[in-house]
Amino acid sequence: MIKFISQLTLFAIITFGTGELIVRSLKLTSDIPQRLVEPETGLQLYKPGQSGYFRNAKEKWHVNDYGMLGVADTSKKPLFSIIGDSYIENIMNPISCNQGFLLQSHFENYSFFEAGRSGVNFIEALEISNYLETIISPTYHLIYLGDGDFKESIISQGRYTDRVQVDLDQKLILKAKMKSPLAKRILYSSKLLYYLYLRFPLFIDKQNKGETINENIAKKPNFDISEISKLFNFCSSRYNLNKIILVFHPNTNDKIIEQATLSGFKNILLREHNNGWGLSKYDGHWSCYGHKEATKQVIPLIESIVKPPTGAHL
């Protein structure tokens, strides 16, 4: 009996090790950067110094000293922060396809700083802009947004405890809470377990699976325009609108854009012409082509705000 148990244990170890090796070598799952909570603001950042691969990617992502992914140049003025969700985080593409990288390549004498994280909504993006004011003092904030980012900001439209939200009745910002950080740390340390976790989600809420796919993919939520109006009114008294520019994803609801404009937010609506911007039929995140097309439309906006210095490629 003891011999049988020993053989069974050895077989399980070998099988697990082989499975772990296969999943890691073929990059069948994404490396998920571990988060921490910034003590002063309650915002979730990434632990600095991490690196890894998104599923099937050939280029590693890296977390910088600020606890964020992507471009982090603060050496020149004007300095533009670029804030958003997984579209800006963009770990599914090489960094050369990031908004910050593309804009930095065009405006050599400007600085760009990316602050993207999966799940960031409108109100959290604004809170991030306030946080960045204390550490790098950007000249302007470019905040990239889709329809769902507004509804998900308002607690009366649904509570997401892992995201910053606002209670408009009490005029109160609710901080996010990390969900099962220890369990996730253990899970993410084993690629085989994480692969099985994603493929057989017996007890998993879709929004908590960790893979940044299908976020904001052509879904039109039902809008309560009165709540959206209250949201913008709340924001107009809490944030410096002179420094904030909203960059709306293609096909954003016209009523949201109208309310943003009425509340004093500078904004631009990106337009998707002809070829689709998505990575695939099932993943609406922008491909490198999509990011380049978006950048082409953001460049004239920046030029209209700041007079280009010598050296900008116009």
Side-chain angles (χ1 to χ4, degrees), residues 47-303:
K47 292 182 179 180
Q50 299 179 81
S51 64
Y53 287 97
F54 189 76
R55 185 182 63 249
N56 299 324
K58 296 181 180 180
E59 185 176 307
K60 276 188 173 182
W61 52 257
H62 298 273
V63 179
N64 57 44
D65 291 339
Y66 295 95
M68 298 176 187
L69 295 160
V71 174
D73 179 25
T74 62
S75 62
K76 300 180 285 292
K77 291 288 185 178
L79 165 59
F80 288 83
S81 77
I82 300 176
I83 304 172
D85 58 13
S86 51
Y87 282 73
I88 297 304
E89 183 182 58
N90 201 33
I91 61 174
M92 64 288 298
N93 287 310
I95 194 172
S96 58
C97 297
N98 282 23
Q99 289 294 290
F101 186 96
L102 294 168
L103 289 170
Q104 186 90 68
S105 298
H106 185 90
F107 296 106
E108 293 180 351
N109 291 339
Y110 297 176
S111 284
F112 294 87
F113 184 98
E114 293 181 315
R117 200 199 71 235
S118 178
V120 167
N121 56 35
F122 173 55
I123 198 69
E124 186 165 15
L126 292 175
E127 287 293 295
I128 291 172
S129 75
N130 273 0
Y131 171 65
L132 294 179
E133 288 291 335
T134 67
I135 60 171
I136 61 171
S137 189
T139 312
Y140 295 100
H141 302 281
L142 296 171
I143 301 179
Y144 289 65
L145 300 157
D147 279 353
D149 297 319
F150 296 90
K151 180 179 178 181
E152 292 170 9
S153 295
I154 307 170
I155 189 172
S156 64
Q157 301 296 301
R159 182 69 175 115
Y160 295 85
T161 57
D162 60 339
R163 306 174 195 185
V164 173
Q165 289 184 291
V166 59
D167 185 329
L168 293 174
D169 293 328
Q170 299 186 45
K171 293 182 170 54
L172 179 67
I173 296 289
L174 302 176
K175 296 179 180 179
K177 297 179 181 179
M178 294 181 64
K179 292 188 174 182
S180 306
L182 178 59
K184 285 187 175 181
R185 203 156 47 238
I186 295 172
L187 180 64
Y188 294 158
S189 66
S190 169
K191 295 300 180 187
L192 179 59
L193 288 179
Y194 185 45
Y195 177 81
L196 296 173
Y197 168 86
L198 292 172
R199 295 300 174 265
F200 305 101
L202 297 180
F203 306 104
I204 306 169
D205 184 334
K206 286 183 180 180
Q207 74 179 39
N208 297 323
K209 287 174 67 175
E211 293 284 290
T212 53
I213 60 174
N214 293 330
E215 183 180 54
N216 290 340
I217 180 169
K219 292 183 179 179
K220 294 281 186 177
N222 295 320
F223 288 105
D224 182 340
I225 194 60
S226 63
E227 288 293 285
I228 299 296
S229 178
K230 286 167 61 178
L231 173 63
F232 278 115
N233 288 336
F234 171 83
C235 294
S236 62
S237 61
R238 183 179 174 90
Y239 306 99
N240 185 356
L241 304 196
N242 292 325
K243 301 182 70 171
I244 295 171
I245 303 150
L246 306 184
V247 182
F248 290 112
H249 289 203
N251 303 314
T252 297
N253 190 294
D254 291 338
K255 293 181 179 179
I256 291 179
I257 299 173
E258 180 182 350
Q259 287 297 320
T261 303
L262 290 173
S263 299
F265 281 94
K266 303 181 187 72
N267 63 82
I268 179 177
L269 172 63
L270 299 177
R271 300 188 182 278
E272 188 175 357
H273 304 295
N274 302 322
N275 297 330
W277 291 6
L279 281 168
S280 71
K281 178 181 178 181
Y282 303 103
D283 189 349
H285 287 100
W286 298 338
S287 63
C288 286
Y289 169 79
H291 275 280
K292 290 175 182 178
E293 290 299 301
T295 302
K296 289 178 183 178
Q297 297 178 45
V298 174
I299 286 172
L301 171 68
I302 294 176
E303 291 174 343

